Amino acid sequence: MQIYKSADLVLHHTFSISQTSQYIVEIESIEDLKSVYLKEEWKALPKLMLGKGSNVLFVEPFEGVAIVNRLQGIEVNETEADWKLHINAGEDWPSLVEWAVNKGIGGLENLAMIPGCVGSAPIQNIGAYGVELCDVCEYVDYLCLESMKVKRLSKGQCQFGYRDSIFKHELYQKSIIVSVGLTLTKSWAANTKYGPLQELISSEITPKTVYSKVCEVRSSKLPDPNVVGNAGSFFKNPIVPQLQFEKLQQKFPSIVAYPADKGMKLAAGWLIDQCGLKGYQIGGAQVHEKQALVIINKDNATSQDIVDLAAYVRQSVLDKFAVELEHEVRFIGRSGETSLKQLLGDKL
Ligand code: FAD
Ligand code: EPU
């Protein structure tokens, strides 16, 4: 276990903004993880589990212990019908997808190039191009921070939803995911419902051709965090009741929306784009020119620049459409998670 004191978090998140943490600890085993929580000296300090930091924004120096996930290892079991994978939480998600595709194992290809660790994937039930983690997940193992025992949840118990799971609710701050079980069926069928994937010729479809197309589409609009700091979609696509959607559609006939569980899911990128905000900049932070849902660190942005821009985007969409955007990116303050609303306080 590596321990760093008063260390910079810049290499542990994807916004490319310097921010210190009182401690950064790299854990390689569940025993390491337990010892961080049990260590007397750190008992009173806030703790933050991190994968690759591709869905976080550090808004202030973190006055606690940031724990970096290095739980490695993959077990593969082949049955007549499926491939069963048991993957430790610190494995890299995009590498796992590439490995599966190269082995001819289908099921993960639509989820190509989503940065992050395998153990972070269940938290917001990562999703892209018509597939979500819950479509392939069989179970999630987590360290229960009350009992310090590893427990297993079946997929049904994980309460997966759009960018949502039990780990954001009942088990929030009570659990650390340590491994994930996936079942990938050998009766693979391509999922090509999403727009540009429909261009694929059905007789030539393999996990690899879908994977290549997804990579091509993603690379054309999403910025590579190794080149320009960002955390993917900054806001979630808001879900509004059917009646509200119909009123919006009357006023804005070209509004982009999809049926969702409890109403219609609006394309937040479209809403932001319609406010004329593509390329809009505050300080070093910019609304991405190719995808308005992404905020980038264009030019040495500070966390405050990103927060100010996010607040401006949220307010613009609220003023024009009377729809409130909620951020997908997790805001981390001095002593733990915070939110745009909390930071803005009276200014709202
Ligand atoms: P982190 O950012 O490190 O952590 C995210 C949250 O989970 C934090 O609150 C953290 O405390 C908590 N956490 C992390 N690990 C654990 C653990 N083991 N146990 C308990 N809590 C933990 N997401 C999508 O769904 N679809 C996309 O298409 C997509 N595209 C993206 C594209 C880009 C360019 C970028 C930068 C991001 C994108 N994202 C997308 C968001 C991001 O990739 C996912 O949310 C990813 O799962 C985050 O993984 P991470 O390891 O970086 O998590
Ligand atoms: N759109 C615009 N202008 C923009 C951006 C989008 O008009 O600037 C329109 C597009 O033309 C399209 C619609 O909005 O009609 C949706 O855009 P897109 O297909 O790019 O997807 P998205 O809704 O912006 C979501 C996820 C992404 C995921 C893609 C692909 C959320 C919050 N975001 O983006 O996930 O990769 O779909 O499935 O659900 C992430 O979560 O970080 C992420 C990148």
Side-chain angles (χ1 to χ4, degrees), residues 14 48-56 69 89 114-117 119-121 123-124 126-128 163 175-177 218 222-223 225 230-232 328 330 337:
T14 59
L48 176 77
M49 190 69 209
L50 271 180
K52 307 278 181 188
S54 61
N55 211 26
V56 296
N69 196 335
I114 300 182
C117 284
S120 318
I123 294 164
Q124 72 159 8
I126 56 167
R163 298 292 187 268
S175 58
I176 299 295
I177 296 176
R218 291 185 72 95
L222 291 170
N230 77 95
E328 175 187 304
R330 314 284 294 262
E337 187 156 10

Side-chain angles (χ1 to χ4, degrees), residues 150-204:
V150 174
K151 298 184 177 175
R152 175 165 294 185
L153 291 181
S154 66
K155 164 173 135 170
Q157 292 171 314
C158 289
Q159 298 171 14
F160 286 125
Y162 167 62
R163 298 292 187 268
D164 205 18
S165 74
I166 193 169
F167 301 102
K168 285 188 170 184
H169 302 282
E170 205 178 313
L171 291 183
Y172 178 62
Q173 291 188 335
K174 294 186 183 142
S175 58
I176 299 295
I177 296 176
V178 293
S179 50
V180 176
L182 304 181
T183 298
L184 303 170
T185 173
K186 290 184 177 172
S187 334
W188 176 80
N191 184 326
T192 54
K193 283 178 282 185
Y194 181 87
L197 302 186
Q198 290 168 9
E199 292 163 15
L200 291 167
I201 301 161
S202 57
S203 60
E204 289 170 12

Side-chain angles (χ1 to χ4, degrees), residues 124 127-130 162-163 194 218 221-222 231-233 235-237 256 258 267 269-270 273 278 290-293 328:
Q124 72 159 8
Y129 306 95
Y162 167 62
R163 298 292 187 268
Y194 181 87
R218 291 185 72 95
K221 51 184 171 186
L222 291 170
S233 298
F235 298 96
K236 289 190 259 188
N237 285 327
V256 182
Y258 320 89
W270 185 89
D273 202 354
K278 260 188 189 157
K290 294 185 190 160
Q291 225 296 6
L293 197 45
E328 175 187 304

Side-chain angles (χ1 to χ4, degrees), residues 9-306:
L9 287 159
V10 71
L11 295 177
H12 298 289
H13 71 107
T14 59
F15 255 117
S16 226
I17 295 174
S18 276
Q19 203 68 272
T20 52
S21 178
Q22 194 166 340
Y23 293 95
I24 297 179
V25 187
E26 294 174 358
I27 56 115
E28 285 162 20
S29 65
I30 294 176
E31 286 315 306
D32 282 355
L33 181 58
K34 285 185 189 170
S35 70
V36 171
Y37 280 88
L38 296 174
K39 195 177 164 80
E40 211 44 57
E41 194 194 330
W42 292 348
K43 272 251 160 88
L45 291 181
K47 318 262 182 335
L48 176 77
M49 190 69 209
L50 271 180
K52 307 278 181 188
S54 61
N55 211 26
V56 296
L57 174 68
F58 288 98
V59 294
E60 290 166 332
F62 182 60
E63 293 178 356
V65 186
I67 310 163
V68 179
N69 196 335
R70 301 265 191 259
L71 299 173
Q72 306 283 297
I74 305 180
E75 283 165 37
V76 183
N77 277 305
E78 186 178 358
T79 70
E80 215 166 287
D82 313 295
W83 295 91
K84 294 205 177 279
L85 311 183
H86 177 90
I87 312 141
N88 286 336
E91 288 287 339
D92 180 59
W93 178 267
S95 308
L96 173 78
V97 176
E98 194 180 2
W99 168 87
V101 167
N102 285 335
K103 259 184 103 58
I105 302 176
L108 299 181
E109 55 285 346
N110 295 54
L111 300 175
M113 283 179 81
I114 300 182
C117 284
V118 170
S120 318
I123 294 164
Q124 72 159 8
N125 182 27
I126 56 167
Y129 306 95
V131 174
E132 290 181 323
L133 179 85
C134 61
D135 297 322
V136 289
C137 180
E138 189 177 324
Y139 60 82
V140 175
D141 290 343
Y142 69 95
L143 178 71
C144 167
L145 295 176
E146 278 161 12
S147 65
M148 284 292 153
K149 293 208 165 78
V150 174
K151 298 184 177 175
R152 175 165 294 185
L153 291 181
S154 66
K155 164 173 135 170
Q157 292 171 314
C158 289
Q159 298 171 14
F160 286 125
Y162 167 62
R163 298 292 187 268
D164 205 18
S165 74
I166 193 169
F167 301 102
K168 285 188 170 184
H169 302 282
E170 205 178 313
L171 291 183
Y172 178 62
Q173 291 188 335
K174 294 186 183 142
S175 58
I176 299 295
I177 296 176
V178 293
S179 50
V180 176
L182 304 181
T183 298
L184 303 170
T185 173
K186 290 184 177 172
S187 334
W188 176 80
N191 184 326
T192 54
K193 283 178 282 185
Y194 181 87
L197 302 186
Q198 290 168 9
E199 292 163 15
L200 291 167
I201 301 161
S202 57
S203 60
E204 289 170 12
I205 287 185
T206 63
K208 208 164 209 161
T209 57
V210 176
Y211 175 81
S212 302
K213 188 71 190 174
V214 169
C215 291
E216 185 191 315
V217 175
R218 291 185 72 95
S219 306
S220 71
K221 51 184 171 186
L222 291 170
D224 177 354
N226 293 316
V227 179
V228 56
N230 77 95
S233 298
F234 200 90
F235 298 96
K236 289 190 259 188
N237 285 327
I239 297 174
V240 300
Q242 183 67 27
L243 200 63
Q244 187 182 354
F245 167 70
E246 283 165 16
K247 282 187 185 152
L248 279 166
Q249 202 181 27
Q250 275 171 11
K251 211 167 160 198
F252 307 98
S254 58
I255 192 165
V256 182
Y258 320 89
D261 273 355
K262 289 175 193 145
M264 291 293 279
K265 191 197 278 178
L266 309 180
W270 185 89
L271 300 174
I272 300 167
D273 202 354
Q274 293 299 306
C275 294
L277 291 177
K278 260 188 189 157
Y280 186 82
Q281 203 163 331
I282 294 185
Q286 189 189 48
V287 175
H288 189 44
E289 281 169 334
K290 294 185 190 160
Q291 225 296 6
L293 197 45
V294 178
I295 291 182
I296 61 169
N297 176 355
K298 166 89 172 162
D299 185 16
N300 292 314
T302 60
S303 308
Q304 193 59 48
D305 294 340
I306 308 271

